[in-house]
Amino acid sequence: METLIGGYELLDYAAELIKGGELVAFPTETVYGLGANAFDVEAVNKIFIAKGRPQDNPLIVHIPEYKNSLEIAEGIPDEAYMLWMKYSPGPLTLVLKKKPVVPNIVTAGYDTVAIRIPNNKTALELLVRCALPVAAPSANLSGRVSSTEAKHVYDDLKGRIPLILDGGQCLVGIESTVLDLTKNIPVVLRPGYITAEELSHTIGNVINHKGEIINAESPGMKYSHYMPSCPCVAVSSSDSAISIYDSHKQAVIVGTDKFIECCGQRDNISLGSSPEECMRSFFKVLRNAEENYAYIILESFEGRKDYYALNNRLFKSAQGIVF
Ligand code: TXA
Ligand code: MG
């Protein structure tokens, strides 16, 4: 299959593909998504095949406006509307009780459905033109680094999908916060750009995500994620970075400007200097590092509040190995 890449001018074609049961990769503010008509079992099955994704990992359903949630969820609590007032469109996914009309393949058999309203012009326009809820995981091969540019999607999925909508670089750069609103106290299943503290400002008590690699609450968390194709470790000091660097061939140090400065004249790629910059560049830098080096050394942000969500991804890329 030939994979076409194009911009806004292909939106109508993209909507036709989705309505016709095909897959389309599209930009969001977090990462690129790989979308299919959420009501079409065969179309959704194509997502799992294209990504090589385990069938027991449920998908997020994307809608253009919170009102559309009524088509797919029931018993929606007030907290959901309070959060949508403040954060929609935005990098927040709410897990709600699902309506029977949502196929089990989307929710991996759970009686809940994850819903998100992405803050991206192309994504919203696509959702409006499809006039359908669109199930979409991140547009990468399962287990691999998420895609924050159309090229990343192409590298992973060329020949497997008919169309990639190119919306440039994703502005947030890491996936949405996933909040389960079906529990007595809402639970953050996956940390993201919007923090548990921020959520609790709007809805009161929220159970924080602890940062463990295995989290029984979020089915997706038990699989390995964000793994570069070469060895990758995290370090909590520039001294560790230097000693590991010096004992490996073709190593590269990845971190903030400040951290890299402390590592002297060694090969490096900067993530930037602010938490926002670092989040935005993280997956792109990882892809760049794995292409050009044989060993990746990542600055750990353990204990730094502003980098909490980024450190969650970074820790997984390093498979929990921190020196
Ligand atoms: O930012 C994002 O959320 C991106 C963009 C494309 O929207 N999407 C994304 O999808 O990250 P994915 O499939 O890579 O991650 C979805 C996460 C997984 O951890 C999955 O287990 C969880 O959401 N999830 C989905 N449905 C769920 C449900 N019903 N209950 C609990 N967790 C759910
Ligand atoms: Mg993913």
Side-chain angles (χ1 to χ4, degrees), residues 168-229:
Q169 199 187 335
C170 301
L171 291 180
V172 171
I174 64 168
E175 301 88 339
S176 61
T177 306
V178 179
L179 182 72
D180 187 346
L181 284 179
T182 68
K183 302 283 156 54
N184 275 343
I185 301 174
V187 184
V188 174
L189 301 180
R190 181 175 70 183
Y193 189 73
I194 299 172
T195 65
E197 287 76 19
E198 286 173 307
L199 296 172
S200 82
H201 281 303
T202 305
I203 56 167
N205 287 339
V206 167
I207 297 178
N208 197 348
H209 178 269
K210 298 278 198 283
E212 290 101 341
I213 295 175
I214 294 167
N215 182 334
E217 296 290 345
S218 182
M221 290 300 187
K222 68 176 187 255
Y223 297 104
S224 60
H225 270 83
Y226 316 114
M227 269 168 54
S229 54

Side-chain angles (χ1 to χ4, degrees), residues 28 30-33 51 53 57-60 62 93 95 110 112-114 116 136-138 175-176 178 189-190 217-221:
T28 81
T30 58
V31 300
Y32 275 74
K51 281 191 57 132
R53 181 180 175 105
N57 191 5
L59 305 176
I60 294 173
H62 297 70
T93 295
V95 174
Y110 289 82
T112 54
V113 58
R116 176 161 126 73
S138 50
E175 301 88 339
S176 61
V178 179
L189 301 180
R190 181 175 70 183
E217 296 290 345
S218 182
M221 290 300 187

Side-chain angles (χ1 to χ4, degrees), residues 46-66:
K46 290 180 185 172
I47 294 179
F48 289 92
I49 294 169
K51 281 191 57 132
R53 181 180 175 105
Q55 290 260 3
D56 62 348
N57 191 5
L59 305 176
I60 294 173
V61 178
H62 297 70
I63 55 175
E65 283 189 82
Y66 71 85

Side-chain angles (χ1 to χ4, degrees), residues 174-178 188-193 208-215 218 220-221 223 225-226 234 279 282-283 286 298-320:
I174 64 168
E175 301 88 339
S176 61
T177 306
V178 179
V188 174
L189 301 180
R190 181 175 70 183
Y193 189 73
N208 197 348
H209 178 269
K210 298 278 198 283
E212 290 101 341
I213 295 175
I214 294 167
N215 182 334
S218 182
M221 290 300 187
Y223 297 104
H225 270 83
Y226 316 114
M279 273 194 254
F282 181 62
F283 288 133
L286 267 192
L298 300 171
E299 174 186 4
S300 163
F301 298 103
E302 192 65 49
R304 289 163 70 178
K305 222 169 153 231
D306 290 347
Y307 290 87
Y308 185 77
L310 176 59
N311 205 55
N312 167 272
R313 296 346 186 246
L314 192 152
F315 192 69
K316 289 180 187 180
S317 295
Q319 295 190 77

Side-chain angles (χ1 to χ4, degrees), residues 33-230:
L34 179 60
N37 173 0
F39 292 141
D40 182 338
V41 174
E42 272 177 41
V44 173
N45 194 41
K46 290 180 185 172
I47 294 179
F48 289 92
I49 294 169
K51 281 191 57 132
R53 181 180 175 105
Q55 290 260 3
D56 62 348
N57 191 5
L59 305 176
I60 294 173
V61 178
H62 297 70
I63 55 175
E65 283 189 82
Y66 71 85
K67 290 176 204 132
N68 301 102
S69 64
L70 297 171
E71 298 163 31
I72 50 180
E74 59 192 19
I76 301 175
D78 292 344
E79 283 82 358
Y81 294 102
M82 290 154 76
L83 289 169
W84 280 326
M85 287 304 148
K86 185 153 168 75
Y87 292 113
S88 91
L92 176 65
T93 295
L94 300 181
V95 174
L96 300 167
K97 194 168 173 354
K98 89 174 184 81
K99 277 194 168 164
V101 64
V102 182
N104 282 330
I105 188 169
V106 172
T107 64
Y110 289 82
D111 59 2
T112 54
V113 58
I115 299 180
R116 176 161 126 73
I117 304 161
N119 188 13
N120 175 286
K121 209 171 119 198
T122 306
L124 288 173
E125 191 56 38
L126 174 67
L127 292 169
V128 167
R129 292 195 199 184
C130 293
L132 283 166
V134 170
S138 50
N140 49 274
L141 288 174
S142 191
R144 295 263 298 120
V145 174
S146 304
S147 300
T148 56
E149 289 179 10
K151 179 186 179 296
H152 302 161
V153 182
Y154 188 77
D155 288 345
D156 271 17
L157 298 173
K158 63 174 167 297
R160 293 169 181 246
I161 60 174
L163 176 65
I164 300 168
L165 284 176
D166 187 349
Q169 199 187 335
C170 301
L171 291 180
V172 171
I174 64 168
E175 301 88 339
S176 61
T177 306
V178 179
L179 182 72
D180 187 346
L181 284 179
T182 68
K183 302 283 156 54
N184 275 343
I185 301 174
V187 184
V188 174
L189 301 180
R190 181 175 70 183
Y193 189 73
I194 299 172
T195 65
E197 287 76 19
E198 286 173 307
L199 296 172
S200 82
H201 281 303
T202 305
I203 56 167
N205 287 339
V206 167
I207 297 178
N208 197 348
H209 178 269
K210 298 278 198 283
E212 290 101 341
I213 295 175
I214 294 167
N215 182 334
E217 296 290 345
S218 182
M221 290 300 187
K222 68 176 187 255
Y223 297 104
S224 60
H225 270 83
Y226 316 114
M227 269 168 54
S229 54
C230 66

